[in-house]
């Protein structure tokens, strides 16, 4: 039974890699379409954590706002991006306004959840539109190596738990194993496709791993606080899409920040297709 569970998990993980790999290879509109689909599906799952099957119109509005936000980001026009973010705020604000009644509890919670989801998912994923293919591969592989090592080492040898009130299964053995695997992966890819010294990629690997583990803990806290086991069931052995990319949602902006502060860390080479422009000339 345990073997079948792990086999299902590994098979699903390998199959799930084919879509982003194809999107990276083709680039441009294909990558944009995959990001829009990923943002929409994970946003639907995120809202479902809080709302269950309720507020379907607001969930559809969130998916539309997410698509517009990514389109605005792809234009590389800060005005359009700001307007897209404000559109999300206005949508949540109007949902609050039209449900407002003085004799009942303020419905501001749903508006906050609506806007929080847009910040957590499409706004985070938009950084991928401005990263080179090898940079995306670096973040993906470093995060996957960390998650995989943490899961298996923690499953078989982890005894002392890190934060059982948030995530009862995560152990110190798993955490340190993930740190080592993710950092080695970052250094290997960095030295192969980058120009920075090894200690730069060592620091980057540590940063990405800390961010990835915090992202995992964050989603675990959400699910545990809401009494939910998985965000969905679209991926056999993994749960929902959000369960699969929770680490990435913290690692992506961490890499974007590191790149802005230390541009020499960027990676080149790999696929030659351009990620931008997606729209416009």
């Amino acid at each position: 039974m345990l073997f079948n569970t792990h086999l299902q998990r590994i098979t699903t993980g390998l199959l799930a890699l084919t879509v982003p790999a194809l999107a990276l290879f083709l680039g441009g509109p294909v990558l944009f379409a995959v990001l829009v689909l990923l943002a929409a599906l994970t946003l639907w799952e995120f809202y479902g954590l809080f709302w269950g099957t309720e507020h379907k119109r607001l969930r559809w509005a969130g998916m539309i706002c997410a698509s517009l936000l990514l389109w605005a980001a792809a234009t590389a026009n800060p005005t359009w991006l700001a307007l897209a973010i404000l559109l999300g705020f206005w949508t949540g604000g109007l949902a609050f306004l039209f449900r407002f009644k003085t004799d009942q509890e303020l419905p501001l919670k749903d508006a906050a959840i609506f806007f929080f989801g847009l910040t957590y998912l499409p706004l985070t994923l938009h950084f991928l539109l401005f990263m080179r293919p090898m940079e995306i591969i670096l973040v993906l592989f470093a995060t996957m190596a960390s998650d995989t090592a943490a899961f298996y080492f923690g499953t078989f040898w982890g005894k002392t738990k890190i934060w059982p009130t948030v995530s009862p299964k995560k152990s110190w053995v798993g955490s340190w194993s993930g740190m080592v695997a993710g950092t080695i992966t970052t250094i290997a890819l960095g030295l192969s496709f980058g120009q920075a010294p090894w200690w730069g990629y060592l620091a980057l690997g540590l940063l990405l791993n800390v961010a990835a583990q915090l992202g995992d803990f964050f989603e675990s806290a959400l699910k545990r606080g809401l009494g939910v086991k998985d965000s969905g069931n679209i991926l056999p052995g993994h749960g929902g899409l959000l369960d699969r990319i929770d680490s990435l949602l913290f690692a992506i902006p961490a890499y974007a920040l590191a790149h802005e502060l230390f541009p020499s860390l960027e990676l080149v080479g790999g696929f030659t297709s351009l990620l931008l422009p997606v729209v416009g000339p």
Side-chain angles (χ1 to χ4, degrees), residues 46-272:
F46 175 80
Y47 289 149
L49 292 175
F50 294 89
W51 297 333
T53 58
E54 298 179 349
H55 304 317
K56 287 189 175 180
R57 285 183 295 182
L58 201 54
R59 291 167 77 172
W60 280 106
M63 294 170 71
I64 294 172
C65 286
S67 302
L68 291 175
L69 193 154
L70 286 172
W71 173 84
T75 66
N77 186 322
T79 300
W80 280 117
L81 181 58
L83 287 173
I85 295 173
L86 282 173
L87 176 63
F89 172 78
W90 293 334
T91 304
L94 289 175
F96 159 75
L97 175 62
F98 288 116
R99 295 171 57 208
F100 175 78
K101 293 181 180 179
T102 56
D103 59 342
Q104 296 182 8
E105 182 181 354
L106 285 177
L108 190 59
K109 176 183 175 181
D110 291 333
I113 292 171
F114 180 84
F115 189 70
F116 188 95
L118 293 177
T119 306
Y120 181 39
L121 289 156
L123 189 60
T124 295
L125 292 172
H126 98 277
F127 288 112
L128 295 174
L129 291 169
F130 302 95
M131 291 164 59
R132 297 173 184 268
M134 282 309 306
E135 291 178 311
I136 298 176
I137 289 174
L138 169 69
V139 178
L140 284 174
F141 277 41
T143 304
M144 289 178 57
S146 174
D147 285 349
T148 302
F151 177 79
Y152 284 105
F153 278 86
T155 297
F156 292 109
W157 293 287
K159 294 182 179 180
T160 305
K161 307 305 178 183
I162 301 176
W163 202 347
T165 55
V166 171
S167 184
K169 293 183 179 181
K170 291 181 176 60
S171 66
W172 282 108
V173 168
S175 178
W176 284 112
S177 301
M179 178 77 74
V180 171
T183 303
I184 290 176
T185 301
T186 302
I187 294 173
L189 289 173
L191 295 180
S192 298
F193 298 96
Q195 299 177 339
W198 68 268
W199 50 264
Y201 295 114
L202 170 63
L204 178 62
L206 294 175
L207 173 65
L208 291 178
N209 188 265
V210 170
Q213 294 199 37
L214 287 175
D216 199 350
F217 273 117
F218 175 77
E219 203 228 354
S220 294
L222 279 180
K223 293 187 296 184
R224 194 162 177 79
L226 295 168
V228 177
K229 184 178 184 297
D230 295 315
S231 66
N233 55 12
I234 193 172
L235 297 176
H238 288 287
L241 280 172
L242 185 55
D243 296 321
R244 187 57 183 162
I245 70 167
D246 53 3
S247 301
L248 276 173
L249 292 172
F250 276 48
I252 290 170
Y255 178 84
L257 175 62
H259 180 268
E260 287 299 311
L261 294 175
F262 307 102
S264 62
L265 290 173
E266 73 176 7
L267 274 65
V268 297
F271 306 122
T272 57

